[in-house]
Amino acid sequence: DAGITQSPRHKVTETGTPVTLRCHQTENHRYMYWYRQDPGHGLRLIHYSYGVKDTDKGEVSDGYSVSRSKTEDFLLTLESATSSQTSVYFCAISESDAQLNTEAFFGQGTRLTVV
Amino acid sequence: GENVEQHPSTLSVQEGDSAVIKCTYSDSASNYFPWYKQELGKGPQLIIDIRSNVGEKKDQRIAVTLNKTAKHFSLHITETQPEDSAVYFCAASYSGYSTLTFGKGTMLLVSP
């Protein structure tokens, strides 16, 4: 398995509180991604990074921010959590971008519940 | 942006039968089409992929076909086994984002 660790694996938080999810990789891959998975919606891209300090938005980026200060770590922050952000969050990594047809490896996921 | 439609959303088959999952995409510039399998409680894992210069690819019991003209691609699983039960996602690369766009998934249930 690719060396991807997501933390925490489970979290329950209250509406309005800030939450940070961490993705750590040991593969030295350039690209890192955050997806959310919801019933009926599949996997939707939140943000991605193509290098240290280089990030871009995905299709569902509102309410989320990211940071990548080191190659191995990609943080996803919910500045003020809302119930609509209750979801399972997956981090993924790849050596290069999708156009170069490289495999994306996924972490085990973080189940976040906002009450 | 890219839009990927996946059908059916659920599929139940008997062990030994074949299963087919179909996807369509909207961006004619897309050139990479992977399929992922997600087992319960785990992250998705790549099982097979196909590039736009190939019409079909096989790997043991799994095959993928691509029709660029019609902009659709399909996953075929033969001689299904209970361990094939999982959620399957198709995806396509979108030239604008250089990232993958996923279909909504198909839950495959293989009954013994």
Side-chain angles (χ1 to χ4, degrees), chain A residues 22-25 32 67-75:
Chain A
R22 181 182 185 232
C23 178
H24 178 78
Q25 61 145 329
M32 299 185 76
S67 66
R68 192 170 178 198
S69 59
K70 298 184 292 185
T71 299
E72 58 265 36
D73 290 325
F74 192 31
L75 304 180

Side-chain angles (χ1 to χ4, degrees), chain A residues 29-33 48-50 68 92-97:
Chain A
H29 282 356
R30 179 183 175 191
Y31 282 75
M32 299 185 76
Y33 313 83
Y48 71 102
S49 169
Y50 47 96
R68 192 170 178 198
I93 64 173
S94 65
E95 273 191 281
S96 59
D97 66 34

Side-chain angles (χ1 to χ4, degrees), chain A residues 26-63:
Chain A
T26 58
E27 305 296 324
N28 201 36
H29 282 356
R30 179 183 175 191
Y31 282 75
M32 299 185 76
Y33 313 83
W34 278 108
Y35 289 89
R36 60 177 290 175
Q37 182 175 19
D38 305 287
H41 291 278
L43 292 159
R44 292 181 291 175
L45 181 66
I46 305 171
H47 283 279
Y48 71 102
S49 169
Y50 47 96
V52 173
K53 298 191 188 304
D54 293 323
T55 64
D56 206 348
K57 296 178 180 181
E59 65 174 300
V60 290
S61 60
D62 287 348

Side-chain angles (χ1 to χ4, degrees), chain A residues 37 40 48 90 98 101 104, chain B residues 32 36 38 51 89 97-98 104:
Chain A
Q37 182 175 19
Y48 71 102
F90 285 98
N101 306 337
Chain B
Y32 176 56
Y36 285 81
Q38 184 180 26
R51 291 155 178 76
F89 291 98
Y97 278 147
S98 294
K104 294 182 178 180

Side-chain angles (χ1 to χ4, degrees), chain A residues 6 8-11 21 34-39 42-44 46 64 76 84-91 106-113, chain B residues 38 41-44:
Chain A
Q6 291 187 231
R9 293 292 312 280
H10 303 272
K11 186 172 181 65
L21 308 183
W34 278 108
Y35 289 89
R36 60 177 290 175
Q37 182 175 19
D38 305 287
L43 292 159
R44 292 181 291 175
I46 305 171
Y64 301 94
L76 176 70
S84 65
Q85 294 175 313
T86 292
S87 186
V88 180
Y89 292 85
F90 285 98
C91 173
F106 283 81
Q108 294 285 80
T110 294
R111 182 174 295 276
L112 176 68
T113 303
Chain B
Q38 184 180 26
K42 297 185 178 181

